[in-house]
Amino acid sequence: MQKTEVQHFNQRLIDFLAASPTAFHATQNIARRLSEAGFIALKENDSWSLQKGQGYFVTRNDSSIIAFKYGESPLEQSGIRMFGAHTDSPCLKLKPNAYSVNAGYSQLAVETYGGVLLNTWFDRDLSIAGRVTYKGDSALPASCLVNFDRPIACLPSIAIHLDREANRNKTVNPQKEMLPILMLAEKKPKSWHELLTSQINQQYPALKVESILDFELSLYDTQAPAVVGFKEEFIASARLDNLLSCYVGLEALLQSDSSESCLLVCTDHEEVGSASACGAKGPMLEHFLQRVIPDTELRLRTLDISLMLSADNAHGLHPNYQDKHDSGHGPLLNAGPVIKVNANQRYSTTSETAALFKLLCKQVDVPVQSFVSRSDMECGSTIGPITSAEVGVKTLDIGVPTFAMHSIRELAGAEDAYALSQVATLYFKQVAAPGKLD
């Protein structure tokens, strides 16, 4: 593995992470990269006429995206090489009536999204980003993405002198203690909608915003992603779960050729169960495949020899908490991608799909690890079992090992994302149908 190649890959990954504070921004950035590479944007309410050798993409809710490179080989002979990930990450989202004044400070009421590791949000420099829907010069509402892109809020911890049990028995009440401070209260305070309108005017001077109708806004940490460690062995960033996997899939798709059909799907709402129109439990992927292959029999024949790599981060073996892992299945950072296995189908891996992935890793000289949760601990899940059940495609759950999953700042190995991208690139380029087993 050439170090300069890894470094260049990681810098591009870091740029993507920094530019994607929300699922909306991640989807926009993926779509931009696809457009620059010659992919054609589709609209779901248009009629489609797809041509072989061409790349296409479609978004839903501005937060989920499917990209498809239509290969020259007949679909019923080659199948479709699918790669899935999710665009959302645990965070704090603003409530509709978020703005309030308490004890002389302007604060924001927030709701936890997903399994947030709450303690990590204190004492960070926070900003706000997301989607705003407004009344403009049209009869219908319009939307735009906003990003304050600077530290504008904070969530200070209470001093140890006022909570002597903080280091021994600390719990966090998300309703009472997770209200970020925005600023000192003004004598003639502006409304939150006025502040949002001012931000939109700065970002989009040509837009005419008559009034703010609604918003979907999240707080995020402004500390930039970085390569860290004494020997620069790690990547530290927010939203590694699961924008790292989105980026790996995107890079692999862009490097694929025109012979085999390849698909990247990055959906929203995985962290809260995927049950939405744009989530993996919704019909977005199924609808897309129905339009690409309208004939039911041909579509089912194609799906039978297709494969989905469901990529989501795995729990790395933490040296301070080794007893939280099964002793034989604790993956190490920078020791290669992980195959995730669960007997109760919390992961979709089978012996056959795992074997295919191991063969791909061997061909590009990438080591591979296995993760299984302790038998006495509840296991998380991914879009893998959902996609497999909804679409009926053979699926495998994989990922790179990370520390501090669902923290405001997670940690991954500096070599692992690149290693996974090498495997994914080969997967998209391989000639044999990925799901056709002897």
Side-chain angles (χ1 to χ4, degrees):
M1 189 180 296
Q2 295 294 320
K3 188 173 182 180
T4 53
E5 291 182 14
V6 178
Q7 290 171 333
H8 291 157
F9 179 92
N10 285 340
Q11 185 56 57
R12 297 194 301 272
L13 169 60
I14 284 172
D15 292 343
F16 173 72
L17 291 166
S20 305
T22 71
F24 300 117
H25 291 85
T27 299
Q28 182 185 68
N29 289 326
I30 293 170
R32 182 182 296 115
R33 283 286 306 281
L34 292 167
S35 294
E36 291 170 353
F39 282 64
I40 297 173
L42 301 171
K43 293 184 178 180
E44 291 193 281
N45 63 351
D46 285 345
S47 177
W48 294 359
S49 180
L50 308 187
Q51 305 297 318
K52 290 190 175 184
Q54 178 61 53
Y56 301 91
F57 69 91
V58 63
T59 65
R60 183 177 285 191
N61 188 49
D62 299 325
S63 61
S64 295
I65 187 166
I66 295 175
F68 180 63
K69 186 171 282 190
Y70 202 159
E72 301 288 352
S73 301
L75 291 173
E76 70 276 16
Q77 296 178 18
S78 67
I80 302 175
R81 291 137 184 80
M82 304 183 195
F83 189 103
H86 64 88
T87 57
D88 61 319
S89 302
C91 63
L92 305 179
K93 293 199 173 188
L94 270 61
K95 293 181 177 180
N97 299 318
Y99 195 64
S100 64
V101 174
N102 300 292
Y105 297 92
S106 296
Q107 292 184 277
L108 297 171
V110 299
E111 189 175 11
T112 58
Y113 175 84
V116 184
L117 198 57
L118 293 176
N119 281 307
T120 65
W121 283 76
F122 289 91
D123 308 316
R124 311 291 297 192
D125 298 333
L126 304 176
S127 192
I128 296 173
R131 182 172 66 181
V132 176
T133 303
Y134 61 91
K135 173 70 173 70
D137 54 7
S138 171
L140 295 174
S143 294
C144 65
L145 301 191
V146 300
N147 183 2
F148 283 82
D149 201 25
R150 61 185 178 88
I152 61 170
C154 58
L155 193 58
S157 296
I158 187 168
I160 189 70
H161 314 77
L162 304 178
D163 183 5
R164 293 294 183 179
E165 294 297 309
N167 290 331
R168 291 186 289 271
N169 189 29
K170 178 65 177 177
T171 59
V172 179
N173 184 312
Q175 174 67 22
K176 295 173 60 178
E177 299 176 69
M178 304 295 291
L179 284 84
I181 295 173
L182 190 65
M183 58 185 170
L184 289 170
E186 300 173 312
K187 291 183 179 180
K188 294 182 178 180
K190 294 181 179 180
S191 70
W192 177 239
H193 284 194
E194 288 179 294
L195 296 176
L196 276 181
T197 301
S198 176
Q199 178 63 28
I200 293 173
N201 290 336
Q202 289 182 38
Q203 285 189 236
Y204 309 101
L207 284 185
K208 295 181 180 179
V209 179
E210 183 178 308
S211 62
I212 302 294
L213 299 175
D214 215 329
F215 54 80
E216 295 171 76
L217 297 171
S218 305
L219 287 113
Y220 71 92
D221 184 12
T222 59
Q223 184 177 1
V227 174
V228 302
F230 190 76
K231 295 183 178 180
E232 300 186 336
E233 303 104 321
F234 310 112
I235 294 177
S237 176
R239 303 177 298 282
L240 290 177
D241 176 20
N242 190 31
L243 293 187
L244 181 151
S245 299
C246 292
Y247 186 77
V248 166
L250 174 63
E251 284 289 301
L253 180 67
L254 293 177
Q255 293 182 50
S256 64
D257 55 36
S258 60
S259 59
E260 311 303 331
S261 293
C262 305
L263 183 147
L264 171 68
V265 53
C266 299
T267 50
D268 197 0
H269 300 142
E270 189 273 346
E271 297 293 355
V272 292
S274 294
S276 69
C278 59
K281 197 174 285 187
M284 183 179 181
L285 178 57
E286 186 176 8
H287 286 172
F288 185 88
L289 293 170
Q290 288 172 353
R291 297 182 75 169
V292 172
I293 317 172
D295 183 86
T296 301
E297 181 176 345
L298 182 60
R299 184 169 64 255
L300 294 178
R301 289 172 60 192
T302 300
L303 285 171
D304 184 61
I305 57 171
S306 299
L307 180 68
M308 164 71 79
L309 298 187
S310 167
D312 204 346
N313 296 356
H315 298 293
L317 176 62
H318 196 304
N320 299 340
Y321 303 94
Q322 296 183 50
D323 60 340
K324 297 296 185 180
H325 285 263
D326 182 281
S327 59
H329 302 91
L332 304 176
L333 273 62
N334 287 325
V338 177
I339 297 174
K340 301 158 78 170
V341 178
N342 181 260
N344 297 300
Q345 283 298 290
R346 299 292 288 170
Y347 301 131
S348 58
T349 305
T350 69
S351 62
E352 291 182 328
T353 58
L356 286 169
F357 187 74
K358 289 177 180 178
L359 287 176
L360 290 171
C361 290
K362 187 174 182 179
Q363 289 180 61
V364 289
D365 196 27
V366 166
V368 63
Q369 308 180 80
S370 295
F371 171 78
V372 183
S373 291
R374 284 178 57 109
S375 298
D376 56 0
M377 292 181 67
E378 186 176 350
C379 176
S381 192
T382 70
I383 66 168
I386 296 171
T387 303
S388 182
E390 295 292 331
V391 179
V393 62
K394 299 179 187 70
T395 306
L396 167 76
D397 270 298
I398 57 170
V400 302
T402 58
F403 292 149
M405 192 179 295
H406 291 192
S407 167
I408 199 170
R409 194 164 179 85
E410 299 164 323
L411 195 73
E415 297 179 5
D416 287 330
Y418 178 79
L420 181 57
S421 77
Q422 296 297 99
V423 182
T425 299
L426 174 62
Y427 164 67
F428 277 146
K429 289 182 177 180
Q430 67 173 352
V431 177
K436 189 174 183 180
L437 305 170
D438 292 334

